[in-house]
CSV table of all heavy atoms in Angstrom, one decimal:
chain,number,residue,atom,x,y,z
A,1,MET,N,15.4,-21.8,16.1
A,1,MET,CA,15.9,-22.8,15.1
A,1,MET,C,15.5,-22.3,13.7
A,1,MET,O,14.3,-21.9,13.6
A,1,MET,CB,15.2,-24.2,15.4
A,1,MET,CG,16.2,-25.3,14.9
A,1,MET,SD,15.7,-27.0,15.5
A,1,MET,CE,14.5,-27.4,14.2
A,2,PRO,N,16.6,-22.2,12.9
A,2,PRO,CA,16.2,-21.6,11.5
A,2,PRO,C,15.4,-22.6,10.8
A,2,PRO,O,15.5,-23.8,11.0
A,2,PRO,CB,17.5,-21.4,11.0
A,2,PRO,CG,18.5,-22.4,11.8
A,2,PRO,CD,17.8,-22.5,13.1
A,3,ARG,N,14.4,-22.1,10.0
A,3,ARG,CA,13.4,-22.8,9.3
A,3,ARG,C,14.3,-23.5,8.1
A,3,ARG,O,15.1,-22.8,7.4
A,3,ARG,CB,12.4,-21.9,8.6
A,3,ARG,CG,11.0,-22.5,8.7
A,3,ARG,CD,10.0,-21.6,8.2
A,3,ARG,NE,10.4,-21.2,6.8
A,3,ARG,CZ,9.5,-20.8,5.9
A,3,ARG,NH1,8.2,-20.7,6.2
A,3,ARG,NH2,10.0,-20.5,4.7
A,4,LYS,N,14.1,-24.7,7.9
A,4,LYS,CA,14.7,-25.4,6.9
A,4,LYS,C,14.2,-25.1,5.5
A,4,LYS,O,13.0,-24.9,5.3
A,4,LYS,CB,14.5,-26.9,7.0
A,4,LYS,CG,15.6,-27.8,6.3
A,4,LYS,CD,15.3,-29.2,6.5
A,4,LYS,CE,16.0,-30.0,5.3
A,4,LYS,NZ,15.4,-31.4,5.2
A,5,ILE,N,15.1,-24.7,4.6
A,5,ILE,CA,14.7,-24.1,3.2
A,5,ILE,C,14.4,-25.3,2.3
A,5,ILE,O,15.4,-26.1,2.1
A,5,ILE,CB,15.6,-23.2,2.8
A,5,ILE,CG1,15.7,-21.9,3.7
A,5,ILE,CG2,15.4,-22.7,1.3
A,5,ILE,CD1,16.8,-20.9,3.4
A,6,VAL,N,13.3,-25.4,1.8
A,6,VAL,CA,13.0,-26.6,1.0
A,6,VAL,C,12.6,-25.9,-0.5
A,6,VAL,O,11.6,-25.3,-0.6
A,6,VAL,CB,11.8,-27.3,1.3
A,6,VAL,CG1,11.5,-28.5,0.5
A,6,VAL,CG2,12.0,-27.9,2.8
A,7,PRO,N,13.6,-26.0,-1.4
A,7,PRO,CA,13.2,-25.3,-2.7
A,7,PRO,C,12.1,-26.0,-3.4
A,7,PRO,O,12.0,-27.3,-3.2
A,7,PRO,CB,14.6,-25.6,-3.5
A,7,PRO,CG,15.7,-26.0,-2.5
A,7,PRO,CD,14.8,-26.5,-1.3
A,8,LYS,N,11.2,-25.2,-4.0
A,8,LYS,CA,10.1,-25.8,-4.6
A,8,LYS,C,9.9,-25.2,-6.1
A,8,LYS,O,10.5,-24.0,-6.2
A,8,LYS,CB,8.8,-25.5,-3.9
A,8,LYS,CG,8.7,-26.0,-2.6
A,8,LYS,CD,7.3,-25.6,-1.9
A,8,LYS,CE,7.5,-25.5,-0.5
A,8,LYS,NZ,6.6,-24.5,0.2
A,9,PRO,N,9.3,-25.8,-7.0
A,9,PRO,CA,9.0,-25.4,-8.4
A,9,PRO,C,8.1,-24.1,-8.1
A,9,PRO,O,7.1,-24.2,-7.4
A,9,PRO,CB,8.3,-26.4,-9.1
A,9,PRO,CG,8.2,-27.7,-8.2
A,9,PRO,CD,8.7,-27.3,-6.8
A,10,CYS,N,8.4,-23.1,-8.8
A,10,CYS,CA,7.5,-21.9,-8.7
A,10,CYS,C,6.2,-22.1,-9.1
A,10,CYS,O,5.9,-22.7,-10.1
A,10,CYS,CB,8.2,-20.7,-9.5
A,10,CYS,SG,7.4,-19.3,-9.5
A,11,ALA,N,5.2,-21.6,-8.3
A,11,ALA,CA,3.8,-21.9,-8.5
A,11,ALA,C,3.2,-21.2,-9.8
A,11,ALA,O,2.1,-21.5,-10.2
A,11,ALA,CB,3.0,-21.5,-7.3
A,12,CYS,N,4.1,-20.2,-10.4
A,12,CYS,CA,3.5,-19.6,-11.6
A,12,CYS,C,3.6,-20.5,-12.8
A,12,CYS,O,3.0,-20.2,-13.9
A,12,CYS,CB,4.1,-18.3,-11.7
A,12,CYS,SG,5.7,-18.2,-12.7
A,13,GLY,N,4.4,-21.6,-12.8
A,13,GLY,CA,4.6,-22.4,-13.9
A,13,GLY,C,5.7,-22.1,-14.8
A,13,GLY,O,5.9,-22.7,-15.9
A,14,CYS,N,6.7,-21.2,-14.3
A,14,CYS,CA,7.7,-20.8,-15.1
A,14,CYS,C,8.8,-21.9,-15.1
A,14,CYS,O,9.7,-21.8,-16.1
A,14,CYS,CB,8.4,-19.5,-14.6
A,14,CYS,SG,9.2,-19.7,-13.0
A,15,GLY,N,8.8,-22.8,-14.3
A,15,GLY,CA,9.8,-23.9,-14.3
A,15,GLY,C,10.9,-23.5,-13.4
A,15,GLY,O,11.9,-24.4,-13.2
A,16,GLY,N,11.0,-22.4,-12.8
A,16,GLY,CA,12.1,-22.0,-11.9
A,16,GLY,C,11.8,-22.6,-10.5
A,16,GLY,O,10.8,-23.1,-10.3
A,17,ILE,N,12.9,-22.5,-9.7
A,17,ILE,CA,12.8,-23.1,-8.3
A,17,ILE,C,13.0,-22.0,-7.3
A,17,ILE,O,13.9,-21.2,-7.4
A,17,ILE,CB,14.2,-24.1,-8.2
A,17,ILE,CG1,14.0,-25.2,-9.3
A,17,ILE,CG2,14.2,-24.7,-6.8
A,17,ILE,CD1,12.8,-26.2,-9.1
A,18,THR,N,12.0,-22.1,-6.3
A,18,THR,CA,12.1,-21.0,-5.3
A,18,THR,C,13.1,-21.4,-4.2
A,18,THR,O,13.6,-22.5,-4.2
A,18,THR,CB,10.7,-20.8,-4.6
A,18,THR,OG1,10.5,-22.0,-3.8
A,18,THR,CG2,9.6,-20.8,-5.7
A,19,LYS,N,13.3,-20.4,-3.3
A,19,LYS,CA,14.1,-20.7,-2.1
A,19,LYS,C,13.3,-21.1,-1.0
A,19,LYS,O,13.6,-20.8,0.2
A,19,LYS,CB,14.9,-19.4,-1.9
A,19,LYS,CG,15.9,-19.1,-2.9
A,19,LYS,CD,16.9,-18.0,-2.5
A,19,LYS,CE,17.9,-17.8,-3.5
A,19,LYS,NZ,17.8,-16.5,-4.2
A,20,GLY,N,12.2,-21.6,-1.2
A,20,GLY,CA,11.4,-22.2,-0.2
A,20,GLY,C,10.0,-21.6,-0.2
A,20,GLY,O,9.1,-22.2,0.4
A,21,GLY,N,9.8,-20.5,-0.9
A,21,GLY,CA,8.4,-19.9,-0.9
A,21,GLY,C,7.6,-20.5,-2.0
A,21,GLY,O,8.0,-21.4,-2.7
A,22,LYS,N,6.4,-20.1,-2.2
A,22,LYS,CA,5.6,-20.6,-3.4
A,22,LYS,C,6.0,-20.1,-4.7
A,22,LYS,O,5.9,-20.8,-5.6
A,22,LYS,CB,4.2,-20.2,-3.1
A,22,LYS,CG,3.3,-21.1,-2.3
A,22,LYS,CD,1.9,-20.7,-2.2
A,22,LYS,CE,1.1,-21.4,-1.1
A,22,LYS,NZ,-0.1,-20.7,-0.8
A,23,PHE,N,6.5,-18.8,-4.5
A,23,PHE,CA,6.9,-18.1,-5.9
A,23,PHE,C,8.3,-17.6,-5.9
A,23,PHE,O,8.9,-17.3,-4.7
A,23,PHE,CB,5.9,-17.0,-6.1
A,23,PHE,CG,4.5,-17.3,-6.3
A,23,PHE,CD1,3.6,-17.2,-5.4
A,23,PHE,CD2,4.1,-17.7,-7.6
A,23,PHE,CE1,2.2,-17.5,-5.6
A,23,PHE,CE2,2.8,-18.1,-7.9
A,23,PHE,CZ,1.9,-17.9,-6.9
A,24,ILE,N,9.0,-17.5,-6.9
A,24,ILE,CA,10.2,-16.8,-7.1
A,24,ILE,C,9.7,-15.3,-6.8
A,24,ILE,O,8.6,-15.0,-7.3
A,24,ILE,CB,10.7,-16.9,-8.5
A,24,ILE,CG1,11.4,-18.5,-8.5
A,24,ILE,CG2,11.8,-15.8,-8.8
A,24,ILE,CD1,11.7,-18.8,-9.9
A,25,PRO,N,10.5,-14.5,-6.2
A,25,PRO,CA,10.1,-13.1,-6.0
A,25,PRO,C,9.5,-12.5,-7.1
A,25,PRO,O,10.2,-12.4,-8.2
A,25,PRO,CB,11.3,-12.5,-5.3
A,25,PRO,CG,12.1,-13.6,-4.7
A,25,PRO,CD,11.8,-14.8,-5.6
A,26,GLY,N,8.3,-11.7,-7.0
A,26,GLY,CA,7.7,-11.1,-8.2
A,26,GLY,C,6.9,-12.0,-9.1
A,26,GLY,O,6.0,-11.5,-9.8
A,27,HIS,N,7.0,-13.4,-8.9
A,27,HIS,CA,6.2,-14.2,-9.8
A,27,HIS,C,4.8,-14.3,-9.4
A,27,HIS,O,3.8,-14.8,-10.1
A,27,HIS,CB,6.9,-15.6,-10.0
A,27,HIS,CG,8.1,-15.4,-10.9
A,27,HIS,ND1,8.6,-16.5,-11.5
A,27,HIS,CD2,8.9,-14.4,-11.2
A,27,HIS,CE1,9.6,-16.3,-12.2
A,27,HIS,NE2,9.8,-14.9,-12.1
A,28,ASP,N,4.4,-14.0,-8.1
A,28,ASP,CA,3.1,-14.0,-7.7
A,28,ASP,C,2.3,-12.8,-8.5
A,28,ASP,O,1.1,-13.1,-8.8
A,28,ASP,CB,2.9,-13.8,-6.1
A,28,ASP,CG,3.7,-12.6,-5.6
A,28,ASP,OD1,4.7,-12.2,-6.3
A,28,ASP,OD2,3.3,-12.1,-4.6
A,29,THR,N,3.0,-11.8,-8.8
A,29,THR,CA,2.4,-10.7,-9.6
A,29,THR,C,2.1,-11.1,-10.9
A,29,THR,O,1.0,-10.7,-11.5
A,29,THR,CB,3.4,-9.6,-9.6
A,29,THR,OG1,3.9,-9.3,-8.3
A,29,THR,CG2,2.7,-8.4,-10.2
A,30,ARG,N,2.9,-12.1,-11.5
A,30,ARG,CA,2.6,-12.6,-12.8
A,30,ARG,C,1.2,-13.5,-12.8
A,30,ARG,O,0.5,-13.3,-13.7
A,30,ARG,CB,3.7,-13.7,-13.3
A,30,ARG,CG,5.0,-13.2,-13.6
A,30,ARG,CD,5.8,-14.3,-14.1
A,30,ARG,NE,7.1,-13.9,-14.4
A,30,ARG,CZ,7.9,-14.7,-15.1
A,30,ARG,NH1,7.6,-15.8,-15.6
A,30,ARG,NH2,9.2,-14.3,-15.4
A,31,VAL,N,1.0,-14.1,-11.8
A,31,VAL,CA,-0.2,-14.8,-11.6
A,31,VAL,C,-1.4,-14.0,-11.5
A,31,VAL,O,-2.4,-14.1,-12.2
A,31,VAL,CB,-0.2,-15.8,-10.5
A,31,VAL,CG1,-1.5,-16.5,-10.3
A,31,VAL,CG2,0.9,-16.8,-10.5
A,32,TYR,N,-1.2,-12.9,-10.7
A,32,TYR,CA,-2.2,-11.9,-10.5
A,32,TYR,C,-2.6,-11.2,-11.8
A,32,TYR,O,-3.7,-11.0,-12.1
A,32,TYR,CB,-1.7,-10.8,-9.5
A,32,TYR,CG,-2.7,-9.7,-9.2
A,32,TYR,CD1,-4.0,-10.0,-8.6
A,32,TYR,CD2,-2.5,-8.4,-9.4
A,32,TYR,CE1,-4.9,-9.1,-8.3
A,32,TYR,CE2,-3.3,-7.4,-9.3
A,32,TYR,CZ,-4.5,-7.7,-8.6
A,32,TYR,OH,-5.5,-6.8,-8.4
A,33,ARG,N,-1.6,-10.9,-12.6
A,33,ARG,CA,-1.7,-10.3,-13.9
A,33,ARG,C,-2.5,-11.1,-14.9
A,33,ARG,O,-3.4,-10.8,-15.6
A,33,ARG,CB,-0.3,-9.8,-14.5
A,33,ARG,CG,-0.3,-8.4,-15.1
A,33,ARG,CD,1.0,-8.1,-15.6
A,33,ARG,NE,2.1,-8.0,-14.8
A,33,ARG,CZ,3.3,-8.6,-14.9
A,33,ARG,NH1,3.4,-9.2,-16.1
A,33,ARG,NH2,4.3,-8.5,-14.2
A,34,ALA,N,-2.1,-12.5,-14.8
A,34,ALA,CA,-2.7,-13.5,-15.7
A,34,ALA,C,-4.2,-13.6,-15.4
A,34,ALA,O,-5.0,-13.6,-16.2
A,34,ALA,CB,-2.0,-14.8,-15.5
A,35,ILE,N,-4.5,-13.5,-14.1
A,35,ILE,CA,-5.9,-13.6,-13.6
A,35,ILE,C,-6.7,-12.5,-14.2
A,35,ILE,O,-7.8,-12.5,-14.6
A,35,ILE,CB,-6.0,-13.7,-12.0
A,35,ILE,CG1,-5.5,-15.0,-11.5
A,35,ILE,CG2,-7.5,-13.5,-11.6
A,35,ILE,CD1,-5.2,-15.1,-10.0
A,36,LEU,N,-6.1,-11.2,-13.9
A,36,LEU,CA,-6.8,-10.0,-14.5
A,36,LEU,C,-7.0,-10.0,-16.0
A,36,LEU,O,-8.1,-9.6,-16.4
A,36,LEU,CB,-6.0,-8.8,-14.1
A,36,LEU,CG,-6.0,-8.3,-12.6
A,36,LEU,CD1,-5.2,-7.1,-12.3
A,36,LEU,CD2,-7.6,-8.1,-12.2
A,37,GLN,N,-6.0,-10.6,-16.7
A,37,GLN,CA,-6.1,-10.7,-18.1
A,37,GLN,C,-7.3,-11.7,-18.5
A,37,GLN,O,-8.0,-11.5,-19.4
A,37,GLN,CB,-4.8,-11.2,-18.7
A,37,GLN,CG,-4.3,-10.5,-20.0
A,37,GLN,CD,-3.0,-10.7,-20.2
A,37,GLN,OE1,-2.5,-12.0,-20.3
A,37,GLN,NE2,-2.1,-9.7,-20.5
A,38,HIS,N,-7.3,-12.7,-17.6
A,38,HIS,CA,-8.3,-13.7,-17.9
A,38,HIS,C,-9.8,-13.3,-17.8
A,38,HIS,O,-10.6,-13.7,-18.4
A,38,HIS,CB,-8.1,-14.9,-16.8
A,38,HIS,CG,-8.9,-16.1,-17.1
A,38,HIS,ND1,-8.6,-17.1,-18.1
A,38,HIS,CD2,-9.9,-16.6,-16.4
A,38,HIS,CE1,-9.4,-18.0,-18.0
A,38,HIS,NE2,-10.3,-17.7,-17.1
A,39,ILE,N,-9.9,-12.2,-16.9
A,39,ILE,CA,-11.2,-11.7,-16.7
A,39,ILE,C,-11.3,-10.3,-17.3
A,39,ILE,O,-12.1,-9.4,-16.9
A,39,ILE,CB,-11.6,-11.6,-15.3
A,39,ILE,CG1,-10.6,-10.8,-14.4
A,39,ILE,CG2,-11.9,-12.9,-14.7
A,39,ILE,CD1,-10.9,-10.6,-13.0
A,40,ASP,N,-10.5,-10.1,-18.4
A,40,ASP,CA,-10.5,-8.8,-19.1
A,40,ASP,C,-10.2,-7.6,-18.3
A,40,ASP,O,-10.7,-6.6,-18.5
A,40,ASP,CB,-11.8,-8.6,-20.0
A,40,ASP,CG,-11.9,-9.6,-21.1
A,40,ASP,OD1,-10.8,-10.0,-21.6
A,40,ASP,OD2,-13.0,-10.0,-21.6
A,41,GLY,N,-9.4,-7.8,-17.3
A,41,GLY,CA,-8.8,-6.7,-16.4
A,41,GLY,C,-9.9,-6.1,-15.5
A,41,GLY,O,-9.8,-5.0,-15.0
A,42,ASP,N,-11.1,-6.7,-15.3
A,42,ASP,CA,-12.1,-6.3,-14.6
A,42,ASP,C,-11.9,-6.7,-13.1
A,42,ASP,O,-12.3,-7.7,-12.7
A,42,ASP,CB,-13.6,-6.6,-15.1
A,42,ASP,CG,-14.6,-5.8,-14.5
A,42,ASP,OD1,-14.4,-5.2,-13.4
A,42,ASP,OD2,-15.7,-5.6,-15.1
A,43,VAL,N,-11.4,-5.7,-12.3
A,43,VAL,CA,-11.2,-6.0,-10.9
A,43,VAL,C,-12.4,-6.3,-10.1
A,43,VAL,O,-12.4,-7.2,-9.2
A,43,VAL,CB,-10.3,-4.9,-10.3
A,43,VAL,CG1,-10.1,-5.2,-8.8
A,43,VAL,CG2,-9.0,-4.9,-11.0
A,44,LEU,N,-13.5,-5.6,-10.5
A,44,LEU,CA,-14.8,-5.9,-9.9
A,44,LEU,C,-15.2,-7.2,-10.1
A,44,LEU,O,-15.9,-7.8,-9.2
A,44,LEU,CB,-15.7,-4.8,-10.3
A,44,LEU,CG,-15.5,-3.3,-9.7
A,44,LEU,CD1,-16.6,-2.4,-10.4
A,44,LEU,CD2,-15.6,-3.3,-8.3
A,45,ASP,N,-15.0,-7.8,-11.2
A,45,ASP,CA,-15.4,-9.2,-11.5
A,45,ASP,C,-14.5,-10.0,-10.5
A,45,ASP,O,-15.2,-11.0,-9.9
A,45,ASP,CB,-15.1,-9.6,-12.9
A,45,ASP,CG,-16.2,-9.3,-13.9
A,45,ASP,OD1,-17.3,-8.9,-13.4
A,45,ASP,OD2,-15.9,-9.5,-15.2
A,46,LEU,N,-13.3,-9.8,-10.5
A,46,LEU,CA,-12.5,-10.6,-9.4
A,46,LEU,C,-13.0,-10.5,-8.0
A,46,LEU,O,-13.2,-11.6,-7.3
A,46,LEU,CB,-11.0,-10.1,-9.5
A,46,LEU,CG,-10.1,-10.8,-8.7
A,46,LEU,CD1,-10.1,-12.3,-9.1
A,46,LEU,CD2,-8.6,-10.2,-8.8
A,47,LYS,N,-13.4,-9.3,-7.7
A,47,LYS,CA,-13.9,-9.0,-6.4
A,47,LYS,C,-15.2,-10.0,-6.1
A,47,LYS,O,-15.4,-10.6,-5.1
A,47,LYS,CB,-14.2,-7.5,-6.2
A,47,LYS,CG,-14.7,-7.2,-4.8
A,47,LYS,CD,-14.9,-5.6,-4.7
A,47,LYS,CE,-15.5,-5.2,-3.4
A,47,LYS,NZ,-16.9,-5.4,-3.3
A,48,ARG,N,-16.1,-9.9,-7.1
A,48,ARG,CA,-17.3,-10.7,-7.0
A,48,ARG,C,-17.1,-12.1,-6.9
A,48,ARG,O,-17.6,-12.8,-6.2
A,48,ARG,CB,-18.2,-10.3,-8.2
A,48,ARG,CG,-19.7,-10.7,-7.9
A,48,ARG,CD,-20.6,-10.4,-9.1
A,48,ARG,NE,-20.1,-11.2,-10.3
A,48,ARG,CZ,-19.6,-10.7,-11.5
A,48,ARG,NH1,-19.7,-9.2,-11.6
A,48,ARG,NH2,-19.2,-11.3,-12.4
A,49,ILE,N,-16.2,-12.6,-7.8
A,49,ILE,CA,-15.8,-14.0,-7.7
A,49,ILE,C,-15.1,-14.5,-6.4
A,49,ILE,O,-15.6,-15.6,-5.8
A,49,ILE,CB,-14.8,-14.3,-8.8
A,49,ILE,CG1,-15.4,-14.2,-10.1
A,49,ILE,CG2,-14.2,-15.8,-8.6
A,49,ILE,CD1,-14.4,-14.1,-11.3
A,50,ILE,N,-14.4,-13.5,-5.7
A,50,ILE,CA,-13.8,-13.9,-4.5
A,50,ILE,C,-14.8,-13.9,-3.5
A,50,ILE,O,-14.9,-14.9,-2.6
A,50,ILE,CB,-12.7,-12.8,-4.2
A,50,ILE,CG1,-11.6,-12.9,-5.2
A,50,ILE,CG2,-12.1,-13.1,-2.8
A,50,ILE,CD1,-10.7,-14.2,-5.3
A,51,GLU,N,-15.8,-12.9,-3.6
A,51,GLU,CA,-16.8,-12.9,-2.5
A,51,GLU,C,-17.7,-14.1,-2.6
A,51,GLU,O,-18.2,-14.6,-1.6
A,51,GLU,CB,-17.7,-11.6,-2.8
A,51,GLU,CG,-16.9,-10.4,-2.3
A,51,GLU,CD,-17.6,-9.0,-2.6
A,51,GLU,OE1,-18.5,-9.0,-3.4
A,51,GLU,OE2,-17.2,-8.1,-1.9
A,52,GLN,N,-18.0,-14.6,-3.8
A,52,GLN,CA,-18.8,-15.8,-4.0
A,52,GLN,C,-18.1,-17.0,-3.4
A,52,GLN,O,-18.7,-17.8,-2.8
A,52,GLN,CB,-19.2,-16.0,-5.5
A,52,GLN,CG,-20.3,-15.0,-6.0
A,52,GLN,CD,-20.5,-15.1,-7.5
A,52,GLN,OE1,-19.6,-15.7,-8.2
A,52,GLN,NE2,-21.4,-14.3,-8.0
A,53,THR,N,-16.8,-17.0,-3.7
A,53,THR,CA,-16.1,-18.2,-3.3
A,53,THR,C,-15.9,-18.2,-1.8
A,53,THR,O,-16.0,-19.3,-1.2
A,53,THR,CB,-14.7,-18.2,-4.0
A,53,THR,OG1,-14.9,-18.1,-5.4
A,53,THR,CG2,-13.9,-19.5,-3.8
A,54,THR,N,-15.6,-17.1,-1.2
A,54,THR,CA,-15.3,-17.1,0.3
A,54,THR,C,-16.6,-16.9,1.1
A,54,THR,O,-16.6,-17.1,2.2
A,54,THR,CB,-14.3,-16.1,0.6
A,54,THR,OG1,-14.8,-14.8,0.3
A,54,THR,CG2,-13.0,-16.3,-0.2
A,55,ASP,N,-17.7,-16.5,0.4
A,55,ASP,CA,-19.0,-16.2,1.0
A,55,ASP,C,-18.7,-15.0,2.1
A,55,ASP,O,-19.4,-15.0,3.1
A,55,ASP,CB,-19.5,-17.5,1.8
A,55,ASP,CG,-20.9,-17.5,1.9
A,55,ASP,OD1,-21.5,-16.7,1.1
A,55,ASP,OD2,-21.6,-18.2,2.7
A,56,ARG,N,-17.9,-14.1,1.7
A,56,ARG,CA,-17.6,-13.0,2.5
A,56,ARG,C,-17.4,-11.7,1.7
A,56,ARG,O,-16.9,-11.9,0.7
A,56,ARG,CB,-16.4,-13.2,3.5
A,56,ARG,CG,-16.6,-14.0,4.6
A,56,ARG,CD,-15.2,-14.2,5.5
A,56,ARG,NE,-14.2,-14.7,4.8
A,56,ARG,CZ,-12.9,-14.1,4.8
A,56,ARG,NH1,-12.7,-13.1,5.4
A,56,ARG,NH2,-12.0,-14.8,4.1
A,57,THR,N,-17.7,-10.7,2.2
A,57,THR,CA,-17.7,-9.4,1.5
A,57,THR,C,-16.2,-8.8,1.5
A,57,THR,O,-15.7,-8.8,2.6
A,57,THR,CB,-18.6,-8.3,2.0
A,57,THR,OG1,-19.9,-8.8,2.0
A,57,THR,CG2,-18.5,-7.1,1.1
A,58,VAL,N,-15.6,-8.6,0.3
A,58,VAL,CA,-14.4,-7.9,0.4
A,58,VAL,C,-14.5,-6.5,0.8
A,58,VAL,O,-15.2,-5.6,0.2
A,58,VAL,CB,-13.6,-8.0,-1.1
A,58,VAL,CG1,-12.4,-7.2,-1.1
A,58,VAL,CG2,-13.4,-9.3,-1.5
A,59,VAL,N,-13.7,-6.1,1.9
A,59,VAL,CA,-13.9,-4.6,2.4
A,59,VAL,C,-12.7,-4.0,1.8
A,59,VAL,O,-11.5,-4.2,2.0
A,59,VAL,CB,-13.8,-4.7,3.9
A,59,VAL,CG1,-13.9,-3.3,4.5
A,59,VAL,CG2,-14.9,-5.7,4.6
A,60,VAL,N,-13.2,-2.9,1.1
A,60,VAL,CA,-12.1,-1.9,0.5
A,60,VAL,C,-11.9,-0.8,1.4
A,60,VAL,O,-12.8,-0.1,1.8
A,60,VAL,CB,-12.7,-1.3,-0.8
A,60,VAL,CG1,-11.6,-0.5,-1.4
A,60,VAL,CG2,-13.1,-2.5,-1.8
A,61,GLU,N,-10.7,-0.7,1.9
A,61,GLU,CA,-10.3,0.4,2.9
A,61,GLU,C,-10.3,1.7,2.2
A,61,GLU,O,-9.8,1.9,1.2
A,61,GLU,CB,-9.1,0.0,3.6
A,61,GLU,CG,-9.1,-1.1,4.6
A,61,GLU,CD,-7.9,-1.4,5.4
A,61,GLU,OE1,-7.1,-0.4,5.5
A,61,GLU,OE2,-7.8,-2.5,5.9
A,62,GLN,N,-11.0,2.7,2.8
A,62,GLN,CA,-10.9,4.0,2.3
A,62,GLN,C,-10.0,4.9,3.1
A,62,GLN,O,-9.9,4.8,4.4
A,62,GLN,CB,-12.3,4.7,2.5
A,62,GLN,CG,-13.4,3.7,1.9
A,62,GLN,CD,-13.4,3.5,0.4
A,62,GLN,OE1,-13.0,4.4,-0.4
A,62,GLN,NE2,-13.9,2.5,-0.1
A,63,ASP,N,-9.2,5.8,2.4
A,63,ASP,CA,-8.3,6.7,3.1
A,63,ASP,C,-9.0,7.7,3.8
A,63,ASP,O,-10.0,8.3,3.3
A,63,ASP,CB,-7.3,7.2,2.1
A,63,ASP,CG,-6.5,6.1,1.5
A,63,ASP,OD1,-6.2,5.1,2.2
A,63,ASP,OD2,-6.1,6.2,0.3
B,101,LIG,ZN1,7.7,-18.4,-11.6
């Protein structure tokens, strides 16, 4: 059975309507960019905040 598509307001706050997802395609990146800007682009700060919030270590995969 196909999933019913329920349009929702885009979670980034742009006022657009999605086709059922949380974001209009690409707009999740806007939120990510805004978060990075908010913490002056320090990804390690973000990592620490996430680790504190989830109480788990963020594992960075190495090639
Ligand atoms: Zn949006």
